[in-house]
Amino acid sequence: MAKFDATLQVLALSSVHQHPDNIRDDLGDLTQLASEIKSMGVMSPLLVYPHPERAGDFVVQDGNRRRSAAAEAGLTEVPCVVLPAPTAERGPRADIETMLTTGRNHRPLSEHEVSKGIQGLLDLGMDITTVGKKFKMSRKEVQTRAKIAQKNDGVSKAYSAGRLRLDAVQRLQELEEQSDNPQLYERTVEKIESMANGASIETVERVIADTESSLRRDARRTDLQELNAVEGDYDVAYSNAWSQVEDELTDAEHVEAGHKYRFHYSDPEPQWFVKEKKAKPELTEAEKQDKQTQAKLNGMLSIVARTRMAFIIDAVQSKKADEDFAKQVLVEQIISATRYDDTPQIFLGKLVSNEYPNGEDFAARESWRENVGKFLSRWPLAKLALVLKLVKSSNTEERLAKLKEFERSSSERHGFLGGWNGVREYYQLLIEQLGYTLDLDEVEAMQYSAKVEPSRNREFDLVPVPDEVTATCQECSQEVVADSEWAGFCVNCIEDAGDSE
């Protein structure tokens, strides 16, 4: 075992300096940490080493947040574990490894900070495979994070802000590298940047497909304009005065025949229409007057609609929030979310200590809902929002008495709330909002189910799974996560072998 050559010392805070290349972009809110340090002191010593340029001073390797919080708390000294001066080769690399490792134990690093640390290790000569093994990442994830750190474009910013998942970023990077049309990537990113709530991998795929169709449609429209073809309006496609041309003609032949074209939604190929030669019936004076009235109202209502929307936007942005109205809306949502299923209603009854009258008495159930609604309306908004999330997850709670509900799948993906995804979201709600601590049997159930499915999405693990390694399938060479008893083949290859038999 290597000797740990370090000493524990109490150092003057003025001699301990923040790391100049800390991968954290922001130390975050230090108020609570400073308060704890003020009352109890620094419970965990800082890791420091001699400053390379200032004799007698030190640089923080681990504990930059504690150092700042100690200063905020008014301390003049801090306990430190003093390490030997780093070597020229190993020093910077060790600093980043420490930041990446310990930074996850306190205030979690942002995705951008992790990516910056990964790129820093690669810049210092560590290879992709070693980085992946040290931080339990696939080669693809390491490469993706490195590209994110190198760029400061919309994709990187959206990922850093938590509006894009790693798989969505990987898909966009593939698009940028593989597409022959740079406009496809640029327009796709532009659309995704405008999505305030971000985009899942499914949304990214849909935007790419829509953008491809749009670009092909633009190219076709340019070709048609060069032939002086006339693009029809709404009436061409939806009125009785025009009919679609069924004959297969060239673009030039359509133009010569006087046909008009129109694109149908996202279809990149135009539809052609011909003017019907039927004689229009003569309108009576009353019919003419009616059409004029309709035309006037259609014209004015479109203007009124724009005015009304401007009013709504201004009112929402400037009007003070009505909490009573907000409570009313949330209570209505809670009652509505439970109305047609006994399980959430029983669950809600327990939450408000008013037992649900399970049975056929319709009047009793309606009276119960009315009383529960009045009771809930006295609760604060935050608690009502929590109750709404809980009652919507009540069926999940009822099922968690069986191990099968912890089962994992090789097809787990973001945005899908069935199976383990729903269970995971429910547990995260309990842990983050209620401070729930997993029971040992729950942890064991999660670990057991995870190990049974080594091809699962590891981003969805709630607890560490021991004895897992990154391995390569002997058949198809894809990287999978396996345990010590893995047979050497991924799930897909095992299934293919079974089908061939």
Side-chain angles (χ1 to χ4, degrees):
M1 181 180 294
K3 181 180 178 182
F4 186 65
D5 188 12
T7 59
L8 179 62
Q9 301 179 35
V10 176
L11 302 175
L13 187 62
S14 60
S15 69
V16 178
H17 302 274
Q18 297 280 16
H19 198 290
D21 297 319
N22 189 5
I23 64 173
R24 285 192 186 277
D25 298 319
D26 179 11
L27 294 179
D29 187 358
L30 300 172
T31 305
Q32 182 177 349
L33 181 57
S35 177
E36 293 174 357
I37 289 176
K38 192 170 186 178
S39 60
M40 296 183 292
V42 178
M43 303 300 291
S44 180
L46 285 63
L47 282 181
V48 302
Y49 55 78
H51 197 291
E53 299 174 357
R54 303 177 63 163
D57 284 6
F58 301 86
V59 175
V60 176
Q61 186 185 68
D62 174 40
N64 288 288
R65 294 189 77 244
R66 276 167 283 157
R67 190 248 174 241
S68 291
E72 206 170 291
L75 271 62
T76 58
E77 295 179 329
V78 286
C80 299
V81 173
V82 181
L83 304 171
T87 62
E89 177 185 352
R90 178 63 186 155
R93 189 186 294 181
D95 289 352
I96 295 177
E97 289 181 33
T98 301
M99 293 173 194
L100 282 171
T101 304
T102 61
R104 302 180 181 202
N105 299 333
H106 307 294
R107 173 180 173 268
L109 295 168
S110 69
E111 296 295 348
H112 178 258
E113 290 166 345
V114 173
S115 298
K116 187 164 67 172
I118 295 300
Q119 180 59 46
L121 291 176
L122 295 175
D123 289 342
L124 291 169
M126 187 178 288
D127 61 83
I128 293 175
T129 302
T130 303
V131 173
K133 287 181 179 179
K134 278 183 174 292
F135 300 103
K136 297 182 179 179
M137 298 178 185
S138 66
R139 286 182 60 86
K140 190 172 183 180
E141 179 177 349
V142 174
Q143 291 170 329
T144 301
R145 287 187 178 279
K147 291 176 184 176
I148 290 170
Q150 292 168 5
K151 303 179 78 172
N152 190 33
D153 58 2
V155 174
S156 299
K157 291 177 181 177
Y159 177 67
S160 301
R163 294 190 292 109
L164 281 181
R165 305 286 299 191
L166 191 67
D167 54 359
V169 174
Q170 290 171 340
R171 179 66 182 93
L172 290 169
Q173 289 180 350
E174 290 172 359
L175 179 68
E176 183 180 22
E177 294 169 358
Q178 299 172 8
S179 175
D180 296 330
N181 187 350
Q183 281 192 312
L184 176 57
Y185 173 77
E186 292 168 2
R187 287 197 189 181
T188 298
V189 172
E190 185 178 335
K191 291 179 182 178
I192 290 173
E193 283 181 316
S194 66
M195 296 179 179
N197 296 323
S200 64
I201 181 63
E202 291 82 9
T203 301
V204 169
E205 293 289 2
R206 187 173 66 252
V207 172
I208 292 173
D210 290 345
T211 306
E212 283 180 321
S213 294
S214 177
L215 288 170
R216 288 166 58 195
R217 191 166 60 250
D218 290 348
R220 287 291 284 124
R221 180 177 279 112
T222 299
D223 293 340
L224 294 172
Q225 288 172 346
E226 291 177 354
L227 293 173
N228 294 319
V230 178
E231 184 169 4
D233 57 14
Y234 178 90
D235 288 339
V236 166
Y238 298 102
S239 74
N240 293 328
W242 292 79
S243 61
Q244 188 170 347
V245 178
E246 301 297 338
D247 297 336
E248 293 187 6
L249 304 175
T250 65
D251 291 342
E253 289 171 335
H254 279 298
V255 173
E256 186 178 355
H259 299 158
K260 291 186 178 182
Y261 72 90
R262 183 174 176 82
F263 289 101
H264 182 69
Y265 297 111
S266 59
D267 191 346
E269 286 300 318
Q271 295 176 341
W272 291 92
F273 295 86
V274 62
K275 183 79 170 180
E276 290 286 356
K277 296 181 180 179
K278 297 176 182 177
K280 292 184 180 179
E282 188 67 28
L283 298 178
T284 66
E285 288 302 319
E287 288 173 333
K288 291 179 181 178
Q289 185 64 39
D290 184 58
K291 281 189 172 293
Q292 289 176 357
T293 301
Q294 291 180 26
K296 174 189 174 185
L297 289 174
N298 281 327
M300 294 305 298
L301 286 174
S302 63
I303 297 173
V304 173
R306 292 195 296 272
T307 304
R308 184 174 59 251
M309 179 53 67
F311 166 79
I312 292 171
I313 293 171
D314 180 68
V316 169
Q317 292 178 348
S318 60
K319 189 177 186 298
K320 184 179 180 181
D322 185 341
E323 291 206 358
D324 289 336
F325 173 73
K327 287 183 179 181
Q328 175 189 337
V329 172
L330 279 176
V331 170
E332 289 173 357
Q333 289 290 312
I334 292 169
I335 299 299
S336 175
T338 62
R339 179 175 290 275
Y340 301 108
D341 190 347
D342 285 347
T343 297
Q345 294 185 107
I346 293 170
F347 188 71
L348 178 58
K350 292 177 180 178
L351 290 177
V352 299
S353 301
N354 185 346
E355 186 175 350
Y356 173 65
N358 201 352
E360 300 299 324
D361 191 341
F362 176 80
R365 295 200 299 273
E366 285 299 311
S367 176
W368 176 84
R369 292 188 188 99
E370 183 178 350
N371 291 333
V372 169
K374 291 178 181 177
F375 180 80
L376 288 173
S377 65
R378 297 195 294 268
W379 281 11
L381 280 173
K383 185 174 286 190
L384 290 177
L386 179 59
V387 169
L388 179 59
K389 290 287 288 185
L390 286 170
V391 296
K392 284 187 173 182
S393 305
S394 56
N395 283 301
T396 301
E397 170 60 38
E398 188 180 44
R399 299 196 310 264
L400 289 180
K402 299 292 184 181
L403 176 61
K404 70 175 185 177
E405 298 303 329
F406 292 82
E407 288 180 356
R408 304 295 296 274
S409 167
S410 61
S411 60
E412 291 171 349
R413 63 184 188 277
H414 292 285
F416 178 69
L417 293 181
W420 171 250
N421 286 26
V423 173
R424 176 178 62 90
E425 185 176 87
Y426 178 61
Y427 269 116
Q428 286 177 326
L429 175 65
L430 299 183
I431 293 168
E432 295 171 5
Q433 299 301 324
L434 299 180
Y436 180 71
T437 302
L438 294 174
D439 184 87
L440 291 177
D441 289 320
E442 288 175 305
V443 173
E444 185 177 352
M446 292 178 189
Q447 291 176 335
Y448 170 83
S449 300
K451 292 175 72 174
V452 169
E453 183 50 77
S455 296
R456 70 193 186 279
N457 188 339
R458 285 191 299 157
E459 290 185 34
F460 293 166
D461 289 353
L462 282 181
V463 297
V465 181
D467 302 326
E468 286 197 332
V469 296
T470 300
T472 303
C473 175
Q474 297 177 17
E475 181 67 24
C476 67
S477 299
Q478 74 165 327
E479 288 189 350
V480 298
V481 179
D483 59 23
S484 56
E485 299 178 357
W486 186 54
F489 299 94
C490 69
V491 173
N492 294 332
C493 291
I494 293 173
E495 289 178 352
D496 291 343
D499 291 341
S500 64
E501 292 176 0

